[in-house]
Amino acid sequence: MSEQGFDLSSAKMHAEGLSDLSIQQFRHLYETWSSGDFGGKVRESQVQPLKDVPRISEIHDTMDMDMALDAFSRTAFLKLNGGLGTSMGLEKAKSLLTIRRHKARRMRFLDIILGQVLTARTRLEVPLPLIFMNSFRTSKDTMRVVHQDKRFTPETMPTEIIQHIEPKLIADTGEPVSYPDQPELEWCPPGHGDIFSTIWESGLLDTLESQGIEYLFISNSDNLGARPSRTLAGHFAQSGSPFMIEVARRTESDRKGGHIVIDRKTGHLLLREMTQVDPHDRASAMSIHKHPYFNTNSIWVRVDALKEKLEEYQGVLPLPIIENRKSVDPTDPSTAPVVQLETAMGSAASLFEGATCVQVDRMRFLPVKTTNDLFIMRSDRFHLTDSYEMEDGNYEFPNVNLDERYYKYISDFDDRFPYGVPSLAAAKSVTIEGDWTFGRDVTLYSDAHLADQGVSSYIPNGQYVGPQGVEPDEWV
């Protein structure tokens, strides 16, 4: 790395008018990264598997709902909303992407989030403040929509805090990248672990305490399953824990994701990403029987405990560093390779004595990271209820693989499903290879497979697609 890499980045951040705390946080990230002391391996011998996590469905049956309602009345809801969805070719807040229609109305992530909060407020008569952590690129568009509803105008509680930004770094030298064609692409957010220093610098914790808020529920805006929950608020309050992570049971499709373990040395919870797994431990780490839970990235934290921890570290928690390698223009792989230095929110669990987990059902984990996920969300597998719940029969979804050449970006995806995505109710898996455009009322069933024809192809209205491709019209 260039010896002057941080100095150049620091000067750039000062010139941009960024705060001392954001520069201090970036210093921690940069120095850890440049020393090579990041993303260290967490060996299997160093951890214990997380076992016997209490299930929220069982907790609900014995919960004192009056106590739970009291805890819920002292809870605020914070949504991580800094993402642009560049992996899907979006150039605006991902939360403004249309998920599906409801009563002829286009429903975006944001519409559903607002509806979930209003439903909880109305049914349970709780204040439930809603706050977004926006990035410099999502704030304007998001707040324009939010403030159209007078029930979400800021009065005593802010409706947003702004995530920090930092320079993207040239992969080879560690110096800040220059991209004169689009200077805004020279910057990036420091990952969702930045939530803690952003909260600290914004003064939000003091505001929450002044309004009698004791608990903070934080989740991703692209996870529509992470709804406000009176039962979870009650369980968190009753547990006495300072920090609680919602986990779900791993399936075979979750084997390669991050999972929660217990540090043998400290006894604390530890978020272990697969990049931190030694090759010799890979089989054990990927075993869904040995390590049965994964992190949903939804957390509950006590306001006073978080305030005390941030005071201890002067606003910058010492979280593990994630090196995220991309191109300076994420939509153009031919542009310069860069490094983005990030941290993960869930990794803060290791800093809190007494941090716990709670096992939630799959219905609370419905993320949309790719157009494969969007394909399922827009299908007949889901029904959006009047209380803004994304409802499915069993929340066990077909494995979907769409050809990235033609379906990765949302504009290409929409072009190929002009009448909406096909029916998935009878599908076990879906594999689409090549360039296929779909007519109306197409049904996919069993292990549906379309092979690449080498040319643009069309599925006529009302056709059935199965393991052999498009079914013939005549009986054999």
Side-chain angles (χ1 to χ4, degrees), residues 376-393:
I376 297 173
M377 283 284 190
R378 286 186 176 176
S379 77
D380 57 358
R381 286 300 305 264
F382 278 103
H383 167 64
L384 181 60
T385 71
D386 288 344
S387 56
Y388 301 91
E389 295 180 17
M390 294 291 289
E391 198 173 67
D392 176 65

Side-chain angles (χ1 to χ4, degrees), residues 28 71 86 202 204 260:
H28 162 68
T86 52
S202 70
L204 179 63
I260 306 296

Side-chain angles (χ1 to χ4, degrees), residues 79-81 83-85 88 90 93-100 106-117 130 132 142 145 220-225 366-370 373-374 377-378 384 388 390 410:
K79 278 290 187 181
L80 304 176
N81 192 57
L84 287 177
M88 290 192 286
L90 294 171
K94 186 178 179 183
S95 58
L96 297 179
L97 176 64
T98 298
I99 293 298
R100 57 189 304 114
R106 290 183 182 274
M107 300 297 292
R108 301 162 292 192
F109 285 101
L110 195 52
D111 300 313
I112 297 172
I113 292 167
L114 298 179
Q116 289 175 347
V117 170
L130 173 63
F132 292 90
T142 299
V145 174
N220 292 340
S221 64
D222 65 2
N223 178 11
L224 295 176
L366 303 173
V368 177
K369 302 298 183 185
T370 66
D373 301 326
L374 184 64
M377 283 284 190
R378 286 186 176 176
L384 181 60
Y388 301 91
M390 294 291 289
I410 191 67

Side-chain angles (χ1 to χ4, degrees), residues 181-433:
D181 289 348
Q182 290 179 272
E184 69 275 11
L185 294 181
E186 297 173 6
W187 301 90
C188 64
H192 46 68
D194 178 58
I195 181 68
F196 302 113
S197 60
T198 297
I199 285 176
W200 175 254
E201 188 168 40
S202 70
L204 179 63
L205 296 177
D206 291 332
T207 303
L208 292 172
E209 287 186 326
S210 72
Q211 298 297 314
I213 299 298
E214 298 181 24
Y215 312 109
L216 192 56
F217 172 48
I218 309 173
S219 62
N220 292 340
S221 64
D222 65 2
N223 178 11
L224 295 176
R227 305 186 308 276
S229 169
R230 168 179 49 170
T231 303
L232 280 163
H235 173 66
F236 182 50
Q238 204 169 42
S239 72
S241 169
F243 191 103
M244 183 174 77
I245 302 175
E246 293 186 28
V247 297
R249 283 230 165 234
R250 295 168 90 189
T251 65
E252 287 300 317
S253 62
D254 305 311
R255 294 186 313 130
K256 297 180 181 180
H259 52 283
I260 306 296
V261 293
I262 300 171
D263 188 325
R264 287 184 183 274
K265 185 176 181 179
T266 65
H268 291 187
L269 294 179
L270 194 65
L271 171 60
R272 181 169 67 167
E273 303 288 356
M274 288 308 294
T275 55
Q276 296 173 285
V277 174
D278 187 276
H280 296 92
D281 297 331
R282 194 166 179 81
S284 291
M286 290 176 62
S287 168
I288 65 175
H289 304 292
K290 184 173 185 180
H291 296 289
Y293 305 108
F294 72 89
N295 170 34
T296 68
N297 211 45
S298 294
I299 69 168
W300 297 74
V301 63
R302 290 178 184 261
V303 171
D304 58 355
L306 180 57
K307 187 175 181 178
E308 181 180 340
K309 190 61 64 176
L310 284 165
E311 284 176 345
E312 178 183 347
Y313 289 104
Q314 298 182 321
V316 179
L317 298 183
L319 304 179
I321 309 302
I322 300 169
E323 179 190 64
N324 192 353
R325 290 183 173 262
K326 293 189 174 185
S327 51
V328 64
D329 181 349
T331 65
D332 184 357
S334 68
T335 55
V338 296
V339 169
Q340 298 179 192
L341 301 181
E342 303 176 1
T343 57
M345 178 174 71
S347 64
S350 64
L351 301 176
F352 288 86
E353 183 78 38
T356 59
C357 292
V358 61
Q359 181 184 343
V360 297
D361 296 328
R362 201 74 183 203
M363 63 191 299
R364 286 191 63 81
F365 185 67
L366 303 173
V368 177
K369 302 298 183 185
T370 66
T371 50
N372 290 342
D373 301 326
L374 184 64
F375 185 79
I376 297 173
M377 283 284 190
R378 286 186 176 176
S379 77
D380 57 358
R381 286 300 305 264
F382 278 103
H383 167 64
L384 181 60
T385 71
D386 288 344
S387 56
Y388 301 91
E389 295 180 17
M390 294 291 289
E391 198 173 67
D392 176 65
N394 60 11
Y395 297 92
E396 294 179 5
F397 307 115
N399 186 35
V400 174
N401 288 289
L402 307 179
D403 195 320
E404 287 196 352
R405 294 174 297 170
Y406 306 105
Y407 301 93
K408 179 178 181 179
Y409 298 122
I410 191 67
S411 58
D412 296 332
F413 179 93
D414 286 340
D415 284 346
R416 286 162 176 78
F417 300 109
Y419 305 107
V421 302
S423 169
L424 290 183
K428 293 180 181 178
S429 67
V430 176
T431 303
I432 300 177
E433 299 167 342

